[in-house]
Amino acid sequence: MSPRLLKKALLRAGFWCLIGILLVYAVFPFYYAIVTSLKPSSALFQVSYWIDNPDFSNYVAVLNQASFLRAIGNSLVVSLCVVALALFLSLTAAYALGRVKFRGRGPVLMMVLGVSMFPQVAVLSGLFEVIRALGLYNTSWALILSYTIFTLPFTVWVLTTFMGQLPHELEEAAIMDGASPWVTLTRVLLPLLWPALVTTGLLAFIAAWNEFLFALTFTLTDSQRTVPVAIALISGGSPHELPWGLLMAASVLVTVPLVILVLIFQRRIVSGLTAGALKG
């Protein structure tokens, strides 16, 4: 084998070894969570990387908890409302920022991007006072409001970038036919934005579904708590017992649907994130 072919083969082998290491690093924790969730309590501390005799008692115990099922429903309602509200607001904002030329457009975009740089804990106390003043504490609207605030910068930025790359001839033709800006947006441009909408909507849904800090701070009762908080509050038979089997079963139950969604829409996600990145 020539040195050139040998070098190429070594580079390819190194590349696939790196991919394998990253894959194991990313997938193994989830795989081990599944293995742990299928063990009975007596076998939790026996190290095993294979599922010999699956035991579904942990899943049955979790699903028999009315508070956990209620938390799943709360998370689903909050996440869907956040996606709908964020997409509506970001779509209209992206139309103005991506299609209308006005003074200060660049600083506005930088401001939108800058808002996303603040960590949640930095605005937690101020946002708590706003929610308390509005009378939204311990309601789903408190989570919808806070999640939407932190989701909008990303959705606005992605949709603005994508919107700016659409052909201006489509908009000009619609204006020539007497279409209003709303009709132009909803009937002409919106059908071309589906890849970006799927991307931003799915990522906004995942962010709202997995959020913990705001859900812990702005909710107080089991009737309003979401899945991450419900999992964190799962307790064992005594104050000193940590029920790993129940925790892993609950984590798998709320993670698998997200994995399935990502696998189904992975091409849409990639095309949505990259379509607006190239100009041509």
Side-chain angles (χ1 to χ4, degrees):
M1 181 181 293
S2 65
R4 183 178 178 181
L5 293 177
L6 179 61
K7 181 179 179 180
K8 187 175 180 180
L10 290 176
L11 288 175
R12 180 175 296 179
F15 172 78
W16 285 111
C17 286
L18 180 60
I19 294 296
I21 293 173
L22 293 176
L23 187 63
V24 170
Y25 178 80
V27 175
F28 179 76
F30 182 64
Y31 169 76
Y32 196 71
I34 296 176
V35 173
T36 304
S37 68
L38 293 174
K39 288 182 179 180
S41 300
S42 59
L44 284 177
F45 297 100
Q46 298 175 6
V47 179
S48 174
Y49 300 105
W50 304 101
I51 305 174
D52 298 324
N53 297 308
D55 185 347
F56 294 94
S57 59
N58 292 319
Y59 290 92
V60 174
V62 168
L63 293 176
N64 283 334
Q65 296 183 8
S67 59
F68 182 76
L69 297 178
R70 191 183 302 113
I72 292 179
N74 292 337
S75 289
L76 187 61
V77 170
V78 170
S79 300
L80 291 177
C81 289
V82 169
V83 170
L85 189 57
L87 287 183
F88 174 75
L89 294 176
S90 59
L91 188 63
T92 53
Y95 179 72
L97 294 171
R99 311 298 290 186
V100 180
K101 294 182 180 180
F102 58 91
R103 182 176 297 180
R105 175 177 171 272
V108 170
L109 282 172
M110 290 297 105
M111 188 181 303
V112 169
L113 186 62
V115 170
S116 64
M117 299 173 64
F118 288 93
Q120 290 179 320
V121 69
V123 300
L124 183 62
S125 59
L127 191 56
F128 178 82
E129 291 300 325
V130 171
I131 288 174
R132 188 174 61 85
L134 293 175
L136 300 178
Y137 181 71
N138 198 34
T139 66
S140 297
W141 287 107
L143 302 182
I144 293 172
L145 175 63
S146 57
Y147 294 174
T148 302
I149 291 173
F150 273 83
T151 302
L152 273 177
F154 169 76
T155 55
V156 168
W157 185 267
V158 172
L159 290 180
T160 299
T161 304
F162 195 95
M163 186 86 72
Q165 306 304 323
L166 297 179
H168 288 276
E169 291 78 9
L170 296 174
E171 189 175 3
E172 293 171 357
I175 294 174
M176 291 286 292
D177 291 337
S180 64
W182 178 252
V183 173
T184 302
L185 174 61
T186 57
R187 304 239 181 130
V188 178
L189 300 179
L190 185 60
L192 302 176
L193 291 171
W194 281 113
L197 290 175
V198 171
T199 300
T200 53
L202 183 57
L203 294 179
F205 182 89
I206 293 174
W209 182 271
N210 291 330
E211 203 283 327
F212 176 78
L213 181 61
F214 289 161
L216 179 64
T217 306
F218 300 150
T219 57
L220 185 62
T221 60
D222 289 339
S223 61
Q224 299 297 331
R225 288 190 176 112
T226 54
V227 162
V229 179
I231 293 177
L233 296 179
I234 292 178
S235 59
S238 67
H240 304 287
E241 179 185 355
L242 194 59
W244 287 109
L246 295 179
L247 290 172
M248 294 300 102
S251 301
V252 171
L253 285 174
V254 301
T255 303
V256 167
L258 298 183
V259 174
I260 294 174
L261 283 176
V262 172
L263 291 177
I264 292 174
F265 295 105
Q266 59 179 336
R267 292 191 178 183
R268 291 281 186 177
I269 295 173
V270 174
S271 61
L273 290 175
T274 59
L278 299 177
K279 191 173 183 179

